[in-house]
Amino acid sequence: AQSVTQPDIHITVSEGASLELRCNYSYGATPYLFWYVQSPGQGLQLLLKYFSGDTLVQGIKGFEAEFKRSQSSFNLRKPSVHWSDAAEYFCAVGGKNTDKLIFGTGTRLQVFP
Amino acid sequence: DAGVTQSPTHLIKTRGQQVTLRCSPKSGHDTVSWYQQALGQGPQFIFQYYEEEERQRGNFPDRFSGHQFPNYSSELNVNALLLGDSALYLCASNRLEGLAGGISYNEQFFGPGTRLTVL
């Protein structure tokens, strides 16, 4: 079955601390992987994506993610979190010849000053 | 350049009623997808429209139907509303392009959503 698991429902970090959000996927074909961010009242904004090639991908707002095929993971990282990063983060998987995305249940990030 | 727009922003209906939600894609995009996001959940794919036809469909009942117009805008219709249909409905657009050997993936841009409440 195709699925995405985000084990952490809620994460709290201090401003300036590092961040890692976990994502595991199950997908029958070659996965295309994405991280989106959703702020209250806003739509989803794409942070980064992985299709192939270098397994460490850089995204917007200083985020990066690493694809590990052996672990079926695509964890999101940021070296130093800013208060404006507080939002809901979604990992998603798709594939070639389809635009259908399968999303995880999200991780809510809270940032303390 | 306007992004993806959706209307209305909020909507309140009662059980059994019918609702129509609207989406205008980002300029240059020809494909529209609809997602349902229940409270505390990730978005779930409902269906996608391309060239005025349903191209893909997720695991949603026939009460959910859609339409795409020649200007690429789209409507999502839900009949016989249930309490469980209360959710944020997101529209996403992209441009479908073909490459040798398959269809490439183009980034989907999401609208702000329509919040539907069924009482």
Side-chain angles (χ1 to χ4, degrees):
Chain A
Q2 301 171 346
S3 65
V4 174
T5 301
Q6 293 181 248
D8 305 305
I9 297 173
H10 187 201
I11 284 183
T12 301
V13 299
S14 298
E15 191 170 19
S18 63
L19 171 71
E20 181 169 24
L21 302 183
R22 296 183 290 165
C23 173
N24 292 94
Y25 68 90
S26 174
Y27 199 75
T30 300
Y32 292 175
L33 294 156
F34 309 85
W35 275 98
Y36 285 86
V37 61
Q38 185 177 40
S39 299
Q42 304 292 318
L44 296 167
Q45 181 184 22
L46 181 67
L47 287 175
L48 47 78
K49 59 191 177 188
Y50 172 79
F51 291 168
S52 64
D54 191 347
T55 57
L56 185 63
V57 294
Q58 302 297 320
I60 62 172
K61 303 184 179 184
F63 285 94
E64 66 177 28
E66 185 172 11
F67 171 60
K68 293 185 178 180
R69 185 184 300 276
S70 61
Q71 298 177 21
S72 298
S73 69
F74 189 58
N75 294 348
L76 181 71
R77 300 194 293 251
K78 186 169 185 178
S80 178
V81 171
H82 188 264
W83 64 266
S84 60
D85 293 325
E88 187 95 22
Y89 290 80
F90 292 95
C91 180
V93 66
K96 187 178 179 181
N97 293 331
T98 177
D99 288 330
K100 174 185 175 182
L101 295 178
I102 299 166
F103 285 86
T105 52
T107 296
R108 177 160 297 278
L109 174 65
Q110 193 171 7
V111 181
F112 279 115
Chain B
D1 175 28
V4 179
T5 61
Q6 294 186 243
S7 64
T9 305
H10 295 87
L11 204 52
I12 299 175
K13 292 285 188 179
T14 57
R15 281 178 296 174
Q17 284 189 311
Q18 178 265 345
V19 68
T20 297
L21 311 181
R22 296 176 176 83
C23 171
S24 291
K26 183 177 169 63
S27 177
H29 288 182
D30 57 9
T31 304
V32 172
S33 300
W34 287 92
Y35 289 80
Q36 180 195 66
Q37 185 178 14
L39 197 62
Q41 301 296 316
Q44 285 194 291
F45 178 81
I46 302 174
F47 43 52
Q48 182 185 65
Y49 277 83
Y50 172 65
E51 292 189 338
E52 301 180 47
E53 292 190 355
E54 186 179 290
R55 177 172 177 259
Q56 276 191 285
R57 189 178 182 92
N59 188 25
F60 279 79
D62 292 344
R63 298 188 298 108
F64 290 77
S65 63
H67 188 78
Q68 186 179 34
F69 300 92
N71 67 353
Y72 308 119
S73 67
S74 176
E75 288 181 349
L76 164 66
N77 301 292
V78 186
N79 295 321
L81 284 168
L82 304 173
L83 295 179
D85 295 330
S86 295
L88 180 68
Y89 288 85
L90 296 167
C91 170
S93 75
N94 63 314
R95 185 172 60 90
L96 202 65
E97 65 179 49
L99 294 177
I103 305 295
S104 71
Y105 179 87
N106 287 288
E107 177 185 348
Q108 295 183 52
F109 288 79
F110 283 82
T114 293
R115 173 73 62 187
L116 172 65
T117 300
V118 182
L119 302 177

